[in-house]
Amino acid sequence: MNNKEIVAKAIYDVVKEDLSLEAVTQLLENPKSVDHGDVAFPAFSLAKVYRKAPQQIAADLAEKIAGTDFEKIEVVGPYLNFFMNKKMVSQAVIGQIAKDKGHYGDSSIGEKGNVPIDMSSPNIAKPISMGHLRSTVIGNSIAFILEKIGYTPIRINHLGDWGTQFGKLIVGYKKWGSEEAVKTAPITELLRLYVQFHEEAETQPELEEEARAWFKKLEEGDEEATELWQWFRTESLKEFDKIYSMLEVSFDSYNGEAFYNDKMDEIVTMLEEKHLLQENEGAEIVDLSAYDLNPALIKKSDGATLYITRDLAAAVYRKRNYDFAKSIYVVGNEQSNHFKQLKAVLKELGFDWSQDMHHIPFGLITQGGKKLSTRKGKIVLLEEVLNEAVELANKQIMEKNPDLPNRDEVARQVGIGSVIFHDLKNDRLNNFDFVLEEVVRFEGETGPYVQYTHARAMSILRKADFTIDETKAYALDDKDSWEVVKLLQKFPDVVMQAAEKYEPSVIAKHAIQVAQAFNKYYAHVKILTDDEQKESRLALVYAMATIIKEDLRLLGLHAPNEM
Ligand code: ARG
C-alpha cells in the first residue's frame, strides 16, 4: 500500500458512515512542504455533514484515528497532516525491493496482450533523421514499459520502402551511379543520385517519364527493377542497422510499406462494398467531413496507391496477425492528421478495434531553436552524433577514473545513453534543442548524472562488502533517507503512469529525482559509520541502485557498476 492508501484507510475507518473510501482518497493532498507531513486531509467537506467548523472536525478526527501507521497527526487549522511511520514504511519498501529486485513494480495488467509498436520507420535511400531517432528511442522505451506491466510488445520497423522515388533512383543509378559507391556508402550515394535526378530533370523533363515507367515496371514485378530495388533496400538497411546496434534497439519485424503491395486490393474492395469510395477528378477518396477531416486519398487518378492505403492494409494485417490488445504508432506530431484519417476510415469500415489504435506523437529536435533540415544537403548524420557523444564521455571518464578497466565499453554506454536520456527526459511533445556538450554532461539532469549516481552507490556497496538479505528487516527513520524511501515507494505508480500516458519522461524524471535525493542523503549522512543503522543504510543504497538501474533499463540505458 502506498502512503495515500494507508491514510485513506485510516480516515475511512472513522468516517465510514459519511464518506466512501473513494471520496476520502480523492480529497487527500500532497503537502507542499515536508514540514507538513506526507499526506494531508482537508476537513472542509465534512463540515456540512457534521455541522461543525472544519477546524473542530479536524481536531476530532485526529483524536479518533489511532494506530501505529503514523508518527504523528498534526492539526493545522482545517487540515490534518499525517506523518507516516518512517520505520514501518522504509522496512516495507526496502524489504519488497530486496525480494523483487528489478521486478519491483512489475504487474500483469496487460495479460500478455500483443502490442505492435510502429517505430523508427525511416525511408530507404534517405538518411535516418533526428525524427526517426526520436521514434526509435521513444518506441523502444514504451515497449519496455508496457512489457513491465504485462503486455507483449512487438517492435515493428515500418520501412518507407515503396513509392515513385524508386523509379527515380533506378533511372539515376543506371545513368550516373556506380556499384562501388552504393556498396561503400549506400545512403550518401543514393541521396546523391536522387538529388542529381531532380537537378537534371529540370532541363530534361523526359527523365520524369522514364522514372514513372521504371516504377511501373517495379510494381509489375519486373526482374531488373525488383533486383535493383531489393539491393537499394538491403544496402540502406545495413546502414540503418549500424545505428540500431549502437542504440541497442532491435525489431521483431521489418515489414515496410512494400510488404503491403498485395494486401491493398482487399482494402479497396472492402471500401467499394461499403460504398465508401467516391470519385474525385479521377482519384478515389473517402469523404471524412463527418469527422471534420480532409478526405482520405486512397488511389490517384493513375491508379497508384498511397501512404494511407498501405497503412490501412498494415492496420488490418496487424489485427489479424497479432490480434492486438492495442496498436501503437510512434510517429512525429506532423503526421497527426494522417493517423486521424487512418482511424476514421477504419471506423467507417466497421472495425471497432480502430479505437485501440493510438498515435503517439512527439515534437522536433531543433538547433538554435530552428528545425533541422535534410534538404539543401545539410543533413545531420546520426552516426557521427553518436560517435561524438561516446568520445566526449570517454574524455570525461578518463579524467574521473583513468584506471577503469573497461573504459571503452562504459564510454559507449554513457555516451549513447546520454543521447537517449536527453531525448526521453522531456515530455515527448515538447520540441528541444540539441547541444551535444550539454547532453553528455555529468552534472545536471542528464543520463550520465543518473548513471554516475548508480555507479557511486555500487562502489559504496563494494566497499562495505554488502549483500542484501531479504529475510532481514531494514528500517530507517531519519529525514534524508525518508525522501529516498518515498521516491522508491512511488516507483510502481510511476511505471503505471508512464504506461498510461505513453510517456517515458515520467520514468526519466523519476530517475533524476531518485539520483538527486540520494546524492543529498549521501552528502548529509555518513553511510559507512559503524552503528546499529549501518546495515539499513546500506540496504537503502542497494534499493536505490536497484530502482535507478530499472528506471534506466526502461529507458533503454545501461547502468555500469563503475565509471
Ligand atoms: N516512413 C515514414 C516517415 O519517415 C514514417 C512511417 C510511420 N509509420 C506508419 N505506419 N505510417 O515519415
Side-chain angles (χ1 to χ4, degrees):
M1 273 210 282
N2 64 35
N3 297 339
K4 270 201 175 152
E5 286 163 346
I6 296 171
V7 171
K9 174 86 181 34
I11 299 174
Y12 173 69
D13 281 344
V14 298
V15 300
K16 263 194 188 101
E17 259 108 81
D18 311 300
L19 277 183
S20 69
L21 182 60
E22 232 182 23
V24 174
T25 311
Q26 294 222 327
L27 287 168
L28 295 178
E29 294 174 11
N30 293 320
K32 299 231 163 32
S33 136
V34 282
D35 301 335
H36 296 150
D38 304 304
V39 181
F41 177 75
F44 311 109
S45 47
L46 286 165
K48 268 215 184 102
V49 192
Y50 294 151
R51 296 171 179 282
K52 271 195 228 164
Q55 286 85 333
Q56 189 54 48
I57 297 169
D60 292 350
L61 284 180
E63 232 158 77
K64 281 194 208 149
I65 297 169
T68 50
D69 284 330
F70 313 108
E71 263 162 25
K72 59 176 175 179
I73 304 170
E74 258 178 21
V75 179
V76 182
Y79 275 94
L80 278 173
N81 291 336
F82 291 83
F83 292 75
M84 303 303 294
N85 181 329
K86 298 189 187 68
K87 281 206 164 162
M88 263 173 72
V89 173
S90 61
Q91 182 178 329
V93 171
I94 298 172
Q96 196 63 47
I97 297 173
K99 210 165 117 243
D100 295 347
K101 317 242 158 29
H103 290 292
Y104 182 64
D106 281 13
S107 91
S108 51
I109 288 176
E111 298 179 320
K112 302 210 167 74
N114 282 338
V115 184
I117 303 179
D118 188 309
M119 53 188 261
S120 199
S121 310
N123 301 319
I124 294 298
K126 287 201 189 139
I128 192 163
S129 71
M130 280 291 200
H132 297 120
L133 169 78
R134 292 215 73 191
S135 168
T136 310
V137 302
I138 295 171
N140 195 43
S141 175
I142 290 177
F144 284 128
I145 294 166
L146 292 180
E147 190 174 48
K148 190 163 175 75
I149 64 161
Y151 288 99
T152 308
I154 298 155
R155 294 167 172 84
I156 300 180
N157 198 336
H158 186 82
L159 293 170
D161 56 3
W162 204 251
T164 47
Q165 72 269 30
F166 287 96
K168 298 176 186 174
L169 277 177
I170 294 175
V171 172
Y173 177 70
K174 289 175 82 75
K175 288 199 191 305
W176 318 292
S178 91
E179 188 176 338
E180 206 35 50
V182 175
K183 276 197 177 141
T184 27
I187 305 287
T188 317
E189 173 67 357
L190 293 172
L191 186 66
R192 183 186 75 79
L193 293 174
Y194 189 70
V195 170
Q196 183 165 0
F197 178 92
H198 280 280
E199 281 167 10
E200 309 253 351
E202 271 178 29
T203 50
Q204 298 162 255
E206 64 277 10
L207 285 177
E208 298 276 2
E209 202 35 61
E210 247 179 88
R212 254 194 295 278
W214 270 107
F215 183 59
K216 194 150 202 314
K217 277 193 186 179
L218 183 58
E219 280 190 304
E220 286 161 355
D222 172 86
E223 202 178 323
E224 189 186 359
T226 308
E227 230 168 68
L228 279 172
W229 168 80
Q230 186 72 54
W231 183 52
F232 295 158
R233 187 181 190 273
T234 313
E235 292 299 324
S236 301
L237 253 187
K238 274 192 210 156
E239 193 92 339
F240 297 155
D241 271 335
K242 283 192 209 158
I243 288 163
Y244 296 141
S245 74
M246 287 172 106
L247 296 170
E248 293 179 79
V249 174
S250 55
F251 297 91
D252 301 293
S253 159
Y254 285 93
N255 287 341
E257 294 187 39
F259 179 76
Y260 299 101
N261 276 341
D262 60 358
K263 299 172 182 61
M264 283 180 286
D265 281 350
E266 188 196 345
I267 305 291
V268 174
T269 310
M270 279 191 240
L271 288 168
E272 272 163 1
E273 278 168 6
K274 299 232 163 189
H275 306 292
L276 291 168
L277 278 187
Q278 288 176 11
E279 220 215 84
N280 187 295
E281 296 174 18
E284 311 240 32
I285 62 165
V286 176
D287 177 62
L288 296 175
S289 50
Y291 297 82
D292 228 350
L293 292 168
N294 287 330
L297 182 53
I298 305 293
K299 258 188 182 180
K300 286 197 212 162
S301 51
D302 62 2
T305 54
L306 289 111
Y307 183 52
I308 195 167
T309 327
R310 293 187 275 280
D311 256 330
L312 285 165
V316 172
Y317 175 84
R318 284 174 198 173
K319 185 63 194 174
R320 282 185 192 150
N321 200 38
Y322 302 116
D323 189 25
F324 57 68
K326 38 187 161 198
S327 180
I328 289 176
Y329 297 81
V330 186
V331 184
N333 199 16
E334 68 281 359
Q335 292 193 28
S336 283
N337 262 316
H338 166 76
F339 287 102
K340 281 186 193 147
Q341 290 180 318
L342 179 63
K343 281 179 75 164
V345 175
L346 289 165
K347 188 160 181 226
E348 287 293 289
L349 278 169
F351 294 129
D352 288 338
W353 48 259
S354 60
Q355 70 197 34
D356 304 322
M357 289 169 50
H358 305 282
H359 174 215
I360 311 301
F362 51 81
L364 295 172
I365 301 186
T366 52
Q367 228 159 29
K370 287 204 189 91
K371 191 181 165 174
L372 295 173
S373 116
T374 4
R375 267 168 233 138
K376 299 169 199 148
K378 224 195 87 188
I379 42 168
V380 181
L381 287 179
L382 262 188
E383 212 184 319
E384 272 168 32
V385 173
L386 293 174
N387 280 328
E388 263 177 64
V390 173
E391 230 170 83
L392 270 179
N394 213 332
K395 259 194 214 148
Q396 294 181 77
I397 296 169
M398 190 91 121
E399 280 165 25
K400 280 188 189 289
N401 193 354
D403 301 324
L404 187 66
N406 57 338
R407 197 182 66 229
D408 285 343
E409 175 59 11
V410 173
R412 213 187 48 72
Q413 297 181 350
V414 174
I416 306 277
S418 72
V419 176
I420 299 177
F421 194 90
H422 185 75
D423 194 310
L424 297 179
K425 76 172 184 182
N426 295 304
D427 294 0
R428 59 179 153 70
L429 271 170
N430 289 357
N431 296 348
F432 66 83
D433 233 38
F434 190 90
V435 182
L436 193 60
E437 290 69 25
E438 299 283 308
V439 172
V440 199
R441 273 179 39 199
F442 277 48
E443 299 87 31
E445 302 183 345
T446 66
Y449 169 73
V450 175
Q451 287 171 318
Y452 189 67
T453 306
H454 171 267
R456 178 185 249 179
M458 294 310 283
S459 125
I460 297 170
L461 297 176
R462 274 195 305 274
K463 222 181 258 165
D465 202 11
F466 178 80
T467 15
I468 193 90
D469 177 352
E470 51 183 274
T471 63
K472 265 194 195 160
Y474 303 103
L476 291 162
D477 59 1
D478 63 293
K479 81 179 200 308
D480 292 299
S481 68
W482 182 235
E483 291 309 304
V484 181
V485 168
K486 276 200 285 187
L487 284 166
L488 300 182
Q489 182 191 25
K490 245 173 80 175
F491 181 65
D493 291 339
V494 166
V495 172
M496 276 313 295
Q497 233 186 69
E500 272 161 21
K501 297 184 181 164
Y502 304 103
E503 188 60 90
S505 67
V506 172
I507 303 284
K509 285 178 179 135
H510 181 257
I512 293 169
Q513 284 173 355
V514 173
Q516 287 171 342
F518 174 75
N519 286 320
K520 214 160 147 197
Y521 178 62
Y522 183 75
H524 289 178
V525 179
K526 292 221 157 37
I527 293 172
L528 293 171
T529 306
D530 271 311
D531 61 21
E532 71 282 4
Q533 286 210 321
K534 179 178 170 190
E535 284 269 298
S536 294
R537 285 193 298 270
L538 285 165
L540 179 69
V541 174
Y542 164 86
M544 187 290 299
T546 304
I547 298 308
I548 278 209
K549 184 176 181 165
E550 182 63 359
D551 269 326
L552 290 172
R553 186 188 72 81
L554 293 174
L555 299 172
L557 272 79
H558 289 276
N561 287 332
E562 222 183 318
M563 63 185 261

